[in-house]
Amino acid sequence: MAVGVYSFPLLKPREIFACLGEMRVLVSEEDIRACDPAAVRTVLEAFIENTMGVTREDMAQIAFPGLSTLSFPEIHAESIPELIFYRKAQMLLAACGVDDFGLRDVLHPTPKRVRRQLSALINFAKFREERLAAFSDVTGQTDELMDQAKGLREESAMLQRELDQLLEEQKAEEPARQQLQMEVTELQKEINVLNRQQAVMHHEKDEKRDKRKEMEDIVASARFNRIEAEAEIERLKAQIVTSPDRVKGELAAIAETVEKAKDDVHVLEEKRSVVLGFIDVYERAEKELARTFTLLDEIEQEMEACKEAKTQVKNARTRIHELKVLTLETNTRRQRLEKIVELKRRDLWRFIEEARTAEEAASKALQIARDKLKKLEFVHLEVRQRIVQNTDASRKVELNMREMEAQYEKELKNLEQMYARLQQAANYYNEQVLKAIQSGS
């Protein structure tokens, strides 16, 4: 017999009836107070159904694993449901702390024991409801935490895949980055050289611009002098006189002035040629500077592209760092959730151990009931064997009786035949006597 584990208070009758009313057990208070066996059985069946999930119809079934071993299972059609009910009630009350429940409590219940048993059942039912609520909460929290842990593991795996992909991309782009870095270094060197050349050319450009302005001033001055000379010639032409000597002298002076002007013009033309050469050199220098500026623009674009590539690499490194931090935080959260899940799992295992303890107690009670059932089956088998033996004996007696009856019938027929013969002989004898008497008279 399983030993009781729980202690329980002895409830008052009105508390018991109130709890039975809440459970909607269809029994009257008078029947319970009178300890009616049918009412007590109804209450026990209600508690068995509420706490163990076994209905009255389930207990009424006679199908069980050892049924096929019985020679005449129909004999147990009524005893097996009673045995199942008794076993379930004994198992439930043993789990509630009542370890002395017996068959007399079903057949002949007493008020004191019924009150104690109902108090234990009600206390166990309330305790079960509280534990079921706590167990449901723990199970719900555990499921929620497991879902969160699963989501975090999936998120961590996704982030890890993204991190691996970024690292692979970074590793694949590393040669290109190094090549770009080398090209940027070479371009920076070329830019420095071109900057120095540009500074020198700017200086030469300024000098040539100054010389050009100076030459332009000289040419403008020469043109102005030429215009003045032409005006002077015109003025002198207007002052020409008829004196040949004077004319000759003036012509000589004019010719000298003209020659001098021609020399000045020739000098100016030479200077102009030099200036034009300087201008041509300046224009070629400007074209070279334009090409240089175009090349510098292209170099600046390349540098911008390099800077953008550097920015992308920097952003990728920042993203990798953020992913590492996020992965670390995710791992920390996962570890915390795993600890919480472990605590909840321990609570769950504790509940399972408690349920296992109760189940072991129930299994022990079940084993005891099975042993009793085997004993009863053995007794029934012996009774059945005796019945079979008695049946065989009765058949033998019946056979002997039939044989004796046949013998009696046979002897009776023989006696009847003998009686008939005796009757015939007596009749014949009487007839002969009558004939003898008649003949003698």
Side-chain angles (χ1 to χ4, degrees), residues 329-340:
E329 293 178 354
T330 303
N331 290 331
T332 304
R333 290 177 60 191
R334 184 177 66 184
Q335 291 175 359
R336 182 172 59 82
L337 289 174
E338 286 178 352
K339 290 180 180 179
I340 295 174

Side-chain angles (χ1 to χ4, degrees), residues 156-396:
S156 177
M158 182 181 65
L159 293 174
Q160 187 64 38
R161 289 194 297 270
E162 186 176 354
L163 178 61
D164 295 338
Q165 183 179 0
L166 289 174
L167 291 175
E168 290 294 333
E169 292 178 357
Q170 182 183 7
K171 185 177 180 181
E173 293 175 355
E174 185 64 22
R177 188 188 67 80
Q178 293 179 357
Q179 182 67 27
L180 288 174
Q181 187 66 35
M182 294 173 62
E183 292 179 0
V184 168
T185 304
E186 294 295 330
L187 289 173
Q188 286 179 349
K189 292 180 180 179
E190 292 180 4
I191 288 170
N192 293 329
V193 174
L194 291 174
N195 285 332
R196 288 194 294 270
Q197 292 178 359
Q198 184 182 11
V200 174
M201 293 178 72
H202 273 298
H203 181 68
E204 292 178 354
K205 177 183 176 182
D206 293 336
E207 290 181 352
K208 290 179 180 180
R209 186 184 291 112
D210 294 337
K211 288 182 179 181
R212 179 181 177 181
K213 288 181 180 180
E214 184 179 354
M215 292 300 175
E216 287 178 352
D217 292 338
I218 293 172
V219 170
S221 179
R223 287 177 180 175
F224 182 73
N225 291 330
R226 181 179 178 181
I227 292 171
E228 287 182 350
E230 290 177 352
E232 183 66 22
I233 290 171
E234 292 294 330
R235 187 180 63 79
L236 291 174
K237 283 182 179 181
Q239 295 178 0
I240 292 175
V241 294
T242 58
S243 176
D245 294 331
R246 185 179 178 182
V247 170
K248 288 180 181 179
E250 290 179 356
L251 288 174
I254 291 169
E256 185 179 357
T257 303
V258 170
E259 289 296 331
K260 186 177 180 181
K262 286 181 178 180
D263 293 335
D264 292 337
V265 170
H266 181 69
V267 172
L268 290 174
E269 288 294 335
E270 290 179 353
K271 290 182 178 180
R272 181 173 176 274
S273 298
V274 174
V275 170
L276 291 175
F278 284 150
I279 291 171
D280 187 28
V281 172
Y282 176 74
E283 289 177 353
R284 287 198 301 271
E286 282 187 344
K287 291 180 180 179
E288 291 293 332
L289 286 173
R291 286 196 297 271
T292 303
F293 288 145
T294 303
L295 182 60
L296 288 174
D297 292 335
E298 293 177 356
I299 292 171
E300 287 180 356
Q301 291 178 359
E302 292 292 333
M303 290 183 67
E304 289 295 331
C306 292
K307 289 180 180 179
E308 185 176 357
K310 286 183 178 180
T311 304
Q312 291 178 357
V313 172
K314 185 178 180 181
N315 292 334
R317 289 178 178 175
T318 305
R319 178 61 178 167
I320 291 171
H321 179 69
E322 291 176 354
L323 289 175
K324 287 182 178 179
V325 173
L326 184 59
T327 303
L328 183 61
E329 293 178 354
T330 303
N331 290 331
T332 304
R333 290 177 60 191
R334 184 177 66 184
Q335 291 175 359
R336 182 172 59 82
L337 289 174
E338 286 178 352
K339 290 180 180 179
I340 295 174
V341 169
E342 183 64 26
L343 293 175
K344 297 298 182 181
R345 188 178 288 113
R346 290 178 182 176
D347 293 337
L348 180 61
W349 279 112
R350 182 167 55 83
F351 286 124
I352 291 174
E353 287 296 329
E354 292 178 357
R356 187 176 298 168
T357 302
E359 185 178 0
E360 289 177 356
S363 299
K364 291 180 181 179
L366 177 62
Q367 186 63 36
I368 293 172
R370 285 179 178 173
D371 294 338
K372 290 184 178 180
L373 178 61
K374 288 181 180 179
K375 291 179 181 179
L376 290 174
E377 289 177 353
F378 181 73
V379 172
H380 282 291
L381 183 61
E382 289 182 350
V383 172
R384 186 62 185 174
Q385 289 176 354
R386 290 178 183 176
I387 292 172
V388 171
Q389 292 175 0
N390 293 332
T391 303
D392 294 337
S394 63
R395 287 178 181 175
K396 290 180 180 180

Side-chain angles (χ1 to χ4, degrees), residues 100-115:
D100 57 351
F101 181 79
L103 192 60
R104 66 181 183 278
D105 295 314
V106 178
L107 300 177
H108 304 289
T110 60
K112 183 177 180 181
R113 292 186 62 80
V114 169
R115 180 184 177 188

Side-chain angles (χ1 to χ4, degrees), residues 37-49:
V40 174
R41 182 188 180 96
T42 302
V43 173
L44 292 176
E45 288 176 349
F47 276 101
I48 290 172
E49 182 176 358

